[in-house]
Coordinates of all heavy atoms in Angstrom, one line a residue:
M1 N 13.8 -26.1 -17.6 CA 13.8 -26.9 -16.3 C 14.6 -28.1 -16.5 O 14.5 -28.8 -17.5 CB 12.3 -27.1 -16.0 CG 12.1 -27.7 -14.7 SD 10.5 -28.2 -14.2 CE 9.5 -26.7 -14.6
L2 N 15.4 -28.5 -15.5 CA 16.2 -29.7 -15.5 C 15.6 -30.7 -14.6 O 15.0 -30.4 -13.6 CB 17.6 -29.3 -15.0 CG 18.4 -28.3 -15.8 CD1 19.7 -28.1 -15.1 CD2 18.7 -28.9 -17.2
L3 N 15.7 -32.0 -15.0 CA 15.3 -33.1 -14.2 C 16.5 -33.6 -13.5 O 17.6 -33.8 -14.1 CB 14.7 -34.2 -15.0 CG 13.4 -33.8 -15.8 CD1 12.9 -35.0 -16.6 CD2 12.3 -33.5 -14.8
S4 N 16.4 -33.7 -12.2 CA 17.6 -34.3 -11.4 C 17.0 -35.3 -10.4 O 15.9 -35.3 -10.1 CB 18.3 -33.1 -10.7 OG 17.4 -32.5 -9.8
G5 N 18.0 -36.1 -10.0 CA 17.6 -37.1 -9.0 C 16.9 -38.3 -9.7 O 16.8 -38.4 -10.9
T6 N 16.4 -39.2 -8.9 CA 15.8 -40.4 -9.5 C 14.4 -40.3 -9.5 O 13.7 -41.2 -10.1 CB 16.3 -41.7 -8.7 OG1 15.9 -41.5 -7.3 CG2 17.8 -41.9 -8.8
G7 N 13.8 -39.4 -8.8 CA 12.3 -39.2 -8.7 C 11.7 -38.7 -10.0 O 12.5 -38.3 -10.9
S8 N 10.4 -38.8 -10.1 CA 9.8 -38.3 -11.3 C 9.4 -36.8 -11.3 O 9.0 -36.3 -12.3 CB 8.5 -39.1 -11.6 OG 7.7 -38.9 -10.5
S9 N 9.6 -36.1 -10.1 CA 9.2 -34.7 -10.1 C 10.4 -33.9 -10.6 O 11.6 -34.1 -10.3 CB 8.9 -34.3 -8.7 OG 10.0 -34.5 -7.8
P10 N 10.1 -32.9 -11.4 CA 11.2 -32.0 -11.9 C 11.7 -31.1 -10.8 O 11.0 -30.7 -9.9 CB 10.4 -31.2 -13.0 CG 9.0 -31.2 -12.6 CD 8.8 -32.5 -11.9
C11 N 13.0 -30.9 -10.9 CA 13.7 -30.0 -9.9 C 14.4 -28.9 -10.8 O 15.0 -29.2 -11.8 CB 14.7 -30.7 -9.1 SG 13.9 -32.0 -8.1
L12 N 14.5 -27.8 -10.2 CA 15.3 -26.7 -10.8 C 16.8 -26.9 -10.5 O 17.1 -27.2 -9.3 CB 14.8 -25.3 -10.4 CG 13.4 -24.9 -10.8 CD1 13.1 -23.5 -10.2 CD2 13.3 -24.8 -12.3
G13 N 17.6 -26.6 -11.4 CA 19.0 -26.7 -11.1 C 19.4 -25.3 -10.6 O 18.6 -24.4 -10.5
P14 N 20.7 -25.1 -10.1 CA 21.0 -23.9 -9.5 C 20.9 -22.7 -10.4 O 20.5 -21.6 -10.0 CB 22.5 -24.1 -9.1 CG 22.8 -25.6 -9.2 CD 21.7 -26.1 -10.1
T15 N 21.2 -22.8 -11.7 CA 21.1 -21.7 -12.6 C 19.6 -21.3 -12.8 O 19.3 -20.1 -12.8 CB 21.7 -22.0 -13.9 OG1 23.1 -22.4 -13.7 CG2 21.7 -20.9 -14.9
E16 N 18.8 -22.3 -13.0 CA 17.4 -22.0 -13.1 C 16.7 -21.3 -11.9 O 15.9 -20.5 -12.0 CB 16.6 -23.3 -13.5 CG 16.9 -23.8 -14.9 CD 18.2 -24.5 -15.0 OE1 18.8 -24.9 -14.0 OE2 18.7 -24.6 -16.2
E17 N 17.2 -21.7 -10.7 CA 16.6 -21.1 -9.5 C 17.0 -19.7 -9.5 O 16.1 -18.8 -9.1 CB 17.2 -21.9 -8.3 CG 16.6 -23.2 -8.1 CD 17.3 -24.0 -6.9 OE1 18.0 -23.3 -6.2 OE2 17.0 -25.2 -6.8
V18 N 18.2 -19.3 -9.8 CA 18.7 -17.9 -9.8 C 17.9 -17.1 -10.8 O 17.4 -16.0 -10.6 CB 20.2 -17.8 -10.1 CG1 20.5 -16.3 -10.3 CG2 20.9 -18.4 -8.9
I19 N 17.7 -17.6 -12.0 CA 16.9 -17.0 -13.1 C 15.5 -16.8 -12.6 O 14.9 -15.7 -12.8 CB 17.0 -17.8 -14.4 CG1 18.4 -17.7 -14.9 CG2 16.0 -17.2 -15.4 CD1 18.7 -18.6 -16.1
D20 N 14.9 -17.8 -12.0 CA 13.5 -17.8 -11.6 C 13.4 -16.7 -10.5 O 12.4 -15.9 -10.5 CB 13.0 -19.1 -11.0 CG 11.6 -19.1 -10.7 OD1 10.8 -18.7 -11.5 OD2 11.3 -19.6 -9.6
R21 N 14.3 -16.5 -9.6 CA 14.3 -15.6 -8.5 C 14.4 -14.2 -9.1 O 13.7 -13.2 -8.7 CB 15.4 -15.8 -7.5 CG 14.9 -16.0 -6.1 CD 16.1 -16.2 -5.1 NE 16.7 -17.5 -5.3 CZ 18.0 -17.7 -5.5 NH1 18.8 -16.7 -5.4 NH2 18.5 -18.9 -5.7
D22 N 15.3 -14.0 -10.1 CA 15.5 -12.7 -10.8 C 14.2 -12.3 -11.5 O 13.8 -11.1 -11.5 CB 16.7 -12.8 -11.8 CG 18.0 -12.9 -11.1 OD1 18.1 -12.6 -9.8 OD2 19.0 -13.2 -11.7
E23 N 13.6 -13.3 -12.2 CA 12.4 -12.9 -12.9 C 11.2 -12.5 -11.9 O 10.5 -11.6 -12.2 CB 11.9 -14.1 -13.8 CG 12.7 -14.4 -15.0 CD 12.4 -15.6 -15.7 OE1 11.4 -16.3 -15.3 OE2 13.1 -16.0 -16.7
T24 N 11.2 -13.2 -10.8 CA 10.1 -12.9 -9.8 C 10.4 -11.5 -9.3 O 9.4 -10.7 -9.1 CB 10.2 -13.9 -8.7 OG1 9.9 -15.2 -9.2 CG2 9.1 -13.6 -7.7
R25 N 11.6 -11.2 -9.0 CA 12.0 -9.8 -8.5 C 11.7 -8.8 -9.5 O 11.2 -7.7 -9.2 CB 13.5 -9.8 -8.1 CG 13.8 -8.5 -7.4 CD 15.3 -8.4 -6.9 NE 16.2 -8.7 -8.0 CZ 17.1 -9.7 -7.9 NH1 17.1 -10.6 -6.9 NH2 17.9 -10.0 -8.9
D26 N 12.0 -9.0 -10.8 CA 11.8 -8.1 -11.9 C 10.3 -7.9 -12.0 O 9.8 -6.7 -12.2 CB 12.4 -8.6 -13.2 CG 13.9 -8.5 -13.2 OD1 14.5 -7.8 -12.3 OD2 14.5 -9.1 -14.1
Q27 N 9.5 -8.9 -11.9 CA 8.0 -8.8 -12.1 C 7.4 -8.0 -10.9 O 6.6 -7.1 -11.1 CB 7.3 -10.2 -12.1 CG 7.6 -10.9 -13.4 CD 7.2 -12.4 -13.3 OE1 6.8 -12.9 -12.3 NE2 7.2 -13.1 -14.5
A28 N 7.9 -8.2 -9.7 CA 7.5 -7.4 -8.6 C 7.8 -6.0 -8.7 O 7.0 -5.1 -8.4 CB 8.1 -8.0 -7.3
Q29 N 9.0 -5.7 -9.2 CA 9.4 -4.3 -9.4 C 8.6 -3.6 -10.5 O 8.1 -2.5 -10.3 CB 10.9 -4.2 -9.8 CG 11.4 -2.8 -10.0 CD 12.8 -2.7 -10.3 OE1 13.6 -3.7 -10.3 NE2 13.3 -1.5 -10.5
G30 N 8.3 -4.4 -11.6 CA 7.4 -3.8 -12.6 C 6.0 -3.5 -12.1 O 5.4 -2.5 -12.4
A31 N 5.5 -4.4 -11.3 CA 4.2 -4.2 -10.7 C 4.2 -3.0 -9.8 O 3.2 -2.2 -9.8 CB 3.7 -5.5 -9.9
A32 N 5.2 -2.8 -9.0 CA 5.3 -1.6 -8.1 C 5.4 -0.4 -9.0 O 4.7 0.7 -8.6 CB 6.5 -1.7 -7.2
E33 N 6.1 -0.4 -10.0 CA 6.2 0.8 -10.9 C 4.9 1.1 -11.6 O 4.5 2.3 -11.7 CB 7.4 0.6 -12.0 CG 8.8 0.6 -11.4 CD 9.8 0.2 -12.3 OE1 9.5 -0.2 -13.5 OE2 11.0 0.2 -12.0
L34 N 4.2 0.0 -12.0 CA 2.9 0.2 -12.6 C 1.9 0.9 -11.7 O 1.2 1.8 -12.0 CB 2.4 -1.1 -13.1 CG 1.1 -1.0 -13.9 CD1 1.2 -0.2 -15.1 CD2 0.6 -2.5 -14.3
R35 N 2.0 0.5 -10.3 CA 1.1 1.1 -9.4 C 1.4 2.6 -9.2 O 0.5 3.4 -9.0 CB 1.2 0.3 -8.0 CG 0.4 -1.0 -8.0 CD 0.3 -1.6 -6.7 NE 1.6 -1.9 -6.0 CZ 2.3 -3.0 -6.2 NH1 1.8 -3.9 -7.0 NH2 3.5 -3.2 -5.6
L36 N 2.7 2.9 -9.3 CA 3.1 4.3 -9.2 C 2.5 5.2 -10.3 O 2.2 6.3 -10.1 CB 4.6 4.5 -9.1 CG 5.3 4.1 -7.8 CD1 6.8 4.1 -7.9 CD2 4.8 4.9 -6.6
V37 N 2.6 4.6 -11.5 CA 2.0 5.3 -12.7 C 0.5 5.4 -12.6 O -0.1 6.3 -13.0 CB 2.5 4.6 -14.0 CG1 1.8 5.2 -15.2 CG2 4.0 4.7 -14.1
A38 N -0.1 4.3 -12.1 CA -1.6 4.3 -12.0 C -2.2 5.3 -11.1 O -3.3 5.8 -11.4 CB -2.0 2.9 -11.6
R39 N -1.5 5.7 -10.1 CA -2.0 6.7 -9.1 C -2.3 8.0 -9.8 O -3.5 8.5 -9.6 CB -1.0 6.9 -8.0 CG -1.0 5.7 -7.0 CD -0.1 6.0 -5.8 NE -0.1 4.8 -5.0 CZ 1.1 4.3 -4.5 NH1 2.2 4.9 -4.7 NH2 1.1 3.2 -3.8
P40 N -1.4 8.6 -10.5 CA -1.8 9.9 -11.1 C -2.9 9.8 -12.2 O -3.7 10.7 -12.3 CB -0.5 10.5 -11.7 CG 0.5 9.4 -11.5 CD 0.0 8.4 -10.7
L41 N -2.9 8.6 -12.9 CA -3.9 8.4 -13.9 C -5.3 8.3 -13.2 O -6.3 8.9 -13.6 CB -3.7 7.2 -14.7 CG -2.6 7.3 -15.7 CD1 -2.3 5.9 -16.3 CD2 -2.9 8.3 -16.8
S42 N -5.3 7.6 -12.1 CA -6.5 7.4 -11.3 C -7.0 8.8 -10.7 O -8.2 9.1 -10.7 CB -6.4 6.4 -10.1 OG -6.1 5.1 -10.6
A43 N -6.1 9.6 -10.3 CA -6.4 10.9 -9.8 C -6.9 11.8 -10.9 O -7.8 12.7 -10.6 CB -5.2 11.5 -9.1
A44 N -6.5 11.6 -12.1 CA -6.9 12.5 -13.2 C -8.3 12.1 -13.7 O -9.0 13.0 -14.3 CB -5.9 12.4 -14.4
V45 N -8.8 10.9 -13.5 CA -10.1 10.5 -14.0 C -11.2 11.3 -13.5 O -12.1 11.8 -14.3 CB -10.3 9.0 -13.7 CG1 -11.7 8.5 -14.0 CG2 -9.3 8.1 -14.5
P46 N -11.4 11.6 -12.2 CA -12.5 12.4 -11.8 C -12.5 13.8 -12.4 O -13.5 14.3 -12.8 CB -12.3 12.5 -10.3 CG -11.5 11.3 -9.9 CD -10.6 11.1 -11.0
V47 N -11.3 14.4 -12.5 CA -11.2 15.7 -13.2 C -11.7 15.6 -14.6 O -12.4 16.5 -15.1 CB -9.8 16.3 -13.1 CG1 -9.6 17.5 -13.8 CG2 -9.4 16.4 -11.6
L48 N -11.2 14.6 -15.3 CA -11.5 14.4 -16.7 C -13.0 14.2 -16.9 O -13.7 14.8 -17.7 CB -10.7 13.2 -17.3 CG -11.0 12.9 -18.8 CD1 -10.7 14.0 -19.7 CD2 -10.3 11.6 -19.1
V49 N -13.6 13.4 -16.1 CA -15.0 13.1 -16.1 C -15.8 14.3 -15.9 O -16.8 14.6 -16.5 CB -15.4 11.9 -15.2 CG1 -16.9 11.7 -15.1 CG2 -14.8 10.6 -15.7
G50 N -15.4 15.1 -14.9 CA -16.1 16.3 -14.6 C -16.1 17.3 -15.8 O -17.2 17.9 -16.1
W51 N -14.9 17.4 -16.4 CA -14.8 18.3 -17.6 C -15.7 17.7 -18.7 O -16.4 18.5 -19.4 CB -13.4 18.4 -18.0 CG -13.2 19.3 -19.2 CD1 -13.1 20.6 -19.1 CD2 -13.1 18.9 -20.5 NE1 -13.0 21.1 -20.4 CE2 -13.0 20.1 -21.3 CE3 -13.2 17.7 -21.2 CZ2 -12.9 20.0 -22.7 CZ3 -13.1 17.6 -22.6 CH2 -12.9 18.8 -23.3
L52 N -15.6 16.5 -18.9 CA -16.4 15.9 -20.0 C -17.9 15.9 -19.8 O -18.7 16.2 -20.7 CB -16.0 14.4 -20.3 CG -14.6 14.3 -20.9 CD1 -14.2 12.8 -20.9 CD2 -14.5 14.9 -22.3
L53 N -18.3 15.8 -18.5 CA -19.8 15.9 -18.2 C -20.2 17.3 -18.6 O -21.4 17.5 -19.1 CB -20.0 15.5 -16.8 CG -20.0 14.1 -16.4 CD1 -20.1 13.9 -14.9 CD2 -21.2 13.4 -17.1
A54 N -19.4 18.3 -18.3 CA -19.8 19.7 -18.5 C -19.8 20.0 -20.1 O -20.6 20.7 -20.6 CB -18.9 20.6 -17.8
A55 N -18.8 19.4 -20.7 CA -18.5 19.8 -22.1 C -19.3 18.9 -23.1 O -19.8 19.4 -24.1 CB -17.1 19.7 -22.5
R56 N -19.4 17.6 -22.8 CA -20.0 16.7 -23.7 C -20.9 15.6 -23.0 O -20.6 14.4 -23.0 CB -18.9 15.9 -24.4 CG -17.9 16.8 -25.2 CD -17.7 16.4 -26.6 NE -16.6 16.8 -27.3 CZ -16.2 18.1 -27.5 NH1 -16.9 19.1 -27.0 NH2 -15.1 18.4 -28.2
P57 N -21.9 16.1 -22.3 CA -22.8 15.1 -21.6 C -23.3 14.0 -22.5 O -23.6 14.3 -23.7 CB -23.9 16.0 -21.0 CG -23.8 17.3 -21.7 CD -22.5 17.4 -22.3
G58 N -23.4 12.8 -22.0 CA -23.8 11.7 -22.8 C -22.8 11.1 -23.6 O -23.0 10.1 -24.3
R59 N -21.6 11.6 -23.6 CA -20.5 11.1 -24.5 C -19.2 11.0 -23.7 O -18.1 10.9 -24.3 CB -20.3 12.0 -25.7 CG -21.5 12.1 -26.6 CD -21.2 12.9 -27.8 NE -20.0 12.6 -28.6 CZ -20.0 11.6 -29.6 NH1 -21.1 10.9 -29.8 NH2 -18.9 11.3 -30.2
V60 N -19.3 10.8 -22.4 CA -18.2 10.8 -21.5 C -17.2 9.7 -21.9 O -16.0 9.8 -22.1 CB -18.6 10.8 -20.0 CG1 -17.4 10.6 -19.1 CG2 -19.3 12.0 -19.6
H61 N -17.7 8.5 -21.9 CA -16.9 7.3 -22.3 C -16.2 7.5 -23.6 O -15.0 7.3 -23.7 CB -17.7 6.0 -22.2 CG -17.0 4.8 -22.4 ND1 -16.9 4.1 -23.6 CD2 -16.1 4.1 -21.6 CE1 -16.1 3.1 -23.5 NE2 -15.6 3.0 -22.3
H62 N -17.0 7.8 -24.6 CA -16.5 7.9 -26.0 C -15.3 9.0 -26.0 O -14.3 8.8 -26.5 CB -17.6 8.2 -26.9 CG -17.0 8.6 -28.3 ND1 -16.6 7.6 -29.2 CD2 -16.8 9.8 -28.9 CE1 -16.2 8.2 -30.3 NE2 -16.3 9.5 -30.2
E63 N -15.6 10.2 -25.4 CA -14.7 11.3 -25.5 C -13.4 10.9 -24.6 O -12.3 11.3 -25.0 CB -15.3 12.5 -25.0 CG -16.4 13.0 -25.9 CD -16.0 13.5 -27.2 OE1 -14.8 13.9 -27.4 OE2 -16.7 13.3 -28.2
A64 N -13.6 10.2 -23.5 CA -12.4 9.8 -22.8 C -11.5 8.9 -23.6 O -10.3 9.0 -23.5 CB -12.8 9.2 -21.4
L65 N -12.1 7.9 -24.3 CA -11.3 7.0 -25.1 C -10.6 7.8 -26.2 O -9.5 7.5 -26.5 CB -12.2 6.0 -25.7 CG -12.7 4.9 -24.7 CD1 -13.6 3.9 -25.4 CD2 -11.6 4.2 -24.0
V66 N -11.3 8.8 -26.8 CA -10.7 9.5 -27.9 C -9.5 10.3 -27.4 O -8.4 10.3 -28.0 CB -11.7 10.6 -28.5 CG1 -11.1 11.6 -29.4 CG2 -12.8 9.8 -29.3
L67 N -9.6 10.9 -26.2 CA -8.5 11.6 -25.6 C -7.3 10.8 -25.3 O -6.1 11.2 -25.4 CB -8.9 12.3 -24.3 CG -9.8 13.5 -24.5 CD1 -10.4 14.0 -23.2 CD2 -9.1 14.7 -25.2
L68 N -7.5 9.5 -24.9 CA -6.4 8.6 -24.5 C -5.8 7.8 -25.7 O -4.7 7.6 -25.8 CB -6.9 7.7 -23.4 CG -5.8 6.7 -22.9 CD1 -4.7 7.5 -22.2 CD2 -6.5 5.8 -21.8
E69 N -6.7 7.5 -26.6 CA -6.4 6.5 -27.7 C -5.2 7.1 -28.6 O -4.3 6.4 -28.9 CB -7.6 6.2 -28.5 CG -7.3 5.2 -29.5 CD -8.6 4.8 -30.3 OE1 -9.4 5.7 -30.6 OE2 -8.8 3.6 -30.6
R70 N -5.4 8.3 -29.1 CA -4.4 8.8 -30.0 C -3.0 8.9 -29.4 O -2.0 8.4 -30.0 CB -4.9 10.2 -30.5 CG -3.9 10.8 -31.6 CD -4.5 12.0 -32.3 NE -3.6 12.6 -33.2 CZ -3.4 12.2 -34.4 NH1 -4.1 11.2 -34.9 NH2 -2.5 12.8 -35.2
P71 N -2.8 9.5 -28.2 CA -1.5 9.5 -27.7 C -0.9 8.1 -27.4 O 0.3 7.9 -27.6 CB -1.6 10.4 -26.4 CG -3.0 10.9 -26.4 CD -3.7 10.3 -27.4
L72 N -1.8 7.2 -27.0 CA -1.4 5.9 -26.7 C -0.9 5.2 -28.0 O 0.2 4.6 -28.0 CB -2.5 5.1 -26.1 CG -2.2 3.6 -25.9 CD1 -1.1 3.4 -24.8 CD2 -3.5 2.9 -25.4
L73 N -1.6 5.3 -29.0 CA -1.3 4.7 -30.3 C 0.0 5.3 -30.9 O 0.9 4.6 -31.4 CB -2.4 4.8 -31.4 CG -3.6 4.0 -31.1 CD1 -4.7 4.3 -32.1 CD2 -3.3 2.5 -31.1
L74 N 0.1 6.6 -30.8 CA 1.3 7.3 -31.3 C 2.6 6.9 -30.6 O 3.6 6.6 -31.1 CB 1.2 8.8 -31.2 CG 0.1 9.5 -32.2 CD1 0.0 10.9 -31.9 CD2 0.6 9.2 -33.6
H75 N 2.4 6.7 -29.2 CA 3.6 6.3 -28.4 C 3.9 4.9 -28.7 O 5.2 4.6 -28.9 CB 3.2 6.4 -26.9 CG 4.3 6.0 -26.0 ND1 5.5 6.7 -25.9 CD2 4.5 4.9 -25.3 CE1 6.3 6.1 -25.1 NE2 5.7 5.0 -24.7
V76 N 3.0 4.0 -28.9 CA 3.3 2.5 -29.1 C 3.9 2.4 -30.6 O 4.8 1.7 -30.8 CB 2.1 1.7 -29.0 CG1 2.3 0.2 -29.5 CG2 1.6 1.7 -27.6
L77 N 3.4 3.2 -31.5 CA 4.0 3.2 -32.8 C 5.4 3.7 -32.8 O 6.3 3.2 -33.5 CB 3.1 4.0 -33.8 CG 1.9 3.3 -34.3 CD1 1.0 4.3 -35.1 CD2 2.2 2.1 -35.2
A78 N 5.7 4.7 -32.1 CA 7.1 5.2 -31.9 C 7.9 4.2 -31.3 O 9.1 4.0 -31.7 CB 7.1 6.5 -31.1
L79 N 7.5 3.5 -30.3 CA 8.3 2.4 -29.7 C 8.6 1.3 -30.7 O 9.7 0.6 -30.5 CB 7.6 1.8 -28.5 CG 7.4 2.7 -27.3 CD1 6.6 2.0 -26.2 CD2 8.8 3.1 -26.7
T80 N 7.8 1.0 -31.7 CA 8.0 -0.1 -32.6 C 8.5 0.4 -33.9 O 8.5 -0.3 -34.9 CB 6.6 -0.8 -32.8 OG1 5.7 0.1 -33.4 CG2 6.1 -1.5 -31.6
G81 N 8.9 1.7 -34.0 CA 9.5 2.2 -35.2 C 8.4 2.4 -36.3 O 8.7 2.3 -37.5
G82 N 7.2 2.5 -35.9 CA 6.1 2.7 -36.9 C 5.5 1.4 -37.4 O 4.6 1.4 -38.2
N83 N 6.0 0.3 -36.9 CA 5.5 -1.0 -37.3 C 4.2 -1.3 -36.6 O 4.1 -1.6 -35.5 CB 6.5 -2.1 -36.9 CG 6.2 -3.4 -37.5 OD1 5.1 -3.9 -37.5 ND2 7.2 -4.2 -38.0
Q84 N 3.1 -1.2 -37.4 CA 1.7 -1.4 -36.9 C 1.5 -2.8 -36.5 O 0.8 -3.0 -35.5 CB 0.7 -1.1 -38.0 CG 0.7 0.4 -38.3 CD -0.3 0.8 -39.4 OE1 -1.1 0.0 -39.8 NE2 -0.2 2.0 -39.9
R85 N 2.1 -3.8 -37.1 CA 1.9 -5.2 -36.7 C 2.5 -5.5 -35.3 O 1.8 -6.1 -34.5 CB 2.5 -6.1 -37.8 CG 2.3 -7.5 -37.5 CD 3.0 -8.4 -38.6 NE 2.0 -9.4 -39.0 CZ 2.0 -10.1 -40.1 NH1 3.0 -9.9 -40.9 NH2 1.1 -11.0 -40.3
R86 N 3.7 -5.0 -35.1 CA 4.3 -5.1 -33.8 C 3.6 -4.3 -32.7 O 3.4 -4.8 -31.6 CB 5.8 -4.7 -33.8 CG 6.7 -5.8 -34.4 CD 8.1 -5.4 -34.5 NE 8.6 -4.9 -33.2 CZ 9.5 -3.9 -33.1 NH1 9.9 -3.3 -34.1 NH2 9.8 -3.6 -31.8
A87 N 3.1 -3.1 -33.1 CA 2.4 -2.3 -32.1 C 1.0 -3.0 -31.7 O 0.6 -2.7 -30.6 CB 2.1 -0.9 -32.8
A88 N 0.5 -3.8 -32.6 CA -0.8 -4.4 -32.3 C -0.7 -5.7 -31.4 O -1.7 -6.2 -30.9 CB -1.6 -4.7 -33.6
R89 N 0.5 -6.2 -31.3 CA 0.7 -7.4 -30.6 C 0.5 -7.2 -29.1 O 0.8 -6.2 -28.5 CB 2.2 -8.0 -30.7 CG 2.4 -8.5 -32.1 CD 3.7 -9.2 -32.1 NE 4.1 -9.5 -33.5 CZ 5.3 -9.6 -33.9 NH1 6.4 -9.3 -33.1 NH2 5.5 -9.9 -35.2
P90 N 0.0 -8.2 -28.4 CA -0.2 -8.1 -27.0 C 1.1 -8.2 -26.2 O 2.1 -8.6 -26.7 CB -1.1 -9.3 -26.6 CG -1.2 -10.2 -27.8 CD -0.6 -9.4 -29.0

C-alpha cells in the first residue's frame, strides 16, 4: 500500500488498485467454482447417509469420514509431491 497526498490516511496507487480489483475478481470466481463443486457433493450426502445407515448403523459419521479421508489425503499428497509437511499446511 502506498501513502500519497498530505493526509494521514493511506491511499492505493494505480497499480495497487488494479491488483486489488484482480484479486477480488479471482476470489469471487473461486467462490463461484467452489459452489459448483459443492452442489454434487451435497447431493451425494443423503445417498451416502442412507447407504451407511443400512450398512453400518451407529457409525455413519465415522464411516463417512473414512470414505472421504483417504482419497482426500492421497490427492493432497499428490499435489505436494508426497510432502506431508506441505500437505498438512492450511
Side-chain angles (χ1 to χ4, degrees):
M1 187 182 312
L2 299 175
L3 295 178
S4 63
T6 57
S8 61
S9 63
C11 298
L12 293 176
T15 303
E16 287 77 16
E17 288 176 10
V18 170
I19 291 170
D20 188 46
R21 241 182 288 129
D22 289 345
E23 287 175 3
T24 302
R25 185 177 54 241
D26 290 346
Q27 290 170 350
Q29 182 178 355
E33 290 171 357
L34 185 58
R35 284 191 299 275
L36 286 175
V37 171
R39 285 185 187 134
L41 286 173
S42 294
V45 168
V47 175
L48 176 64
V49 169
W51 181 84
L52 290 173
L53 281 170
R56 306 231 199 300
R59 297 182 51 85
V60 172
H61 183 260
H62 173 77
E63 295 296 330
L65 289 178
V66 168
L67 287 171
L68 183 61
E69 185 177 42
R70 183 172 177 81
L72 176 64
L73 291 175
L74 290 173
H75 181 70
V76 173
L77 283 170
L79 290 175
T80 62
N83 187 318
Q84 293 179 8
R85 183 179 227 165
R86 283 182 48 220
R89 287 187 191 152

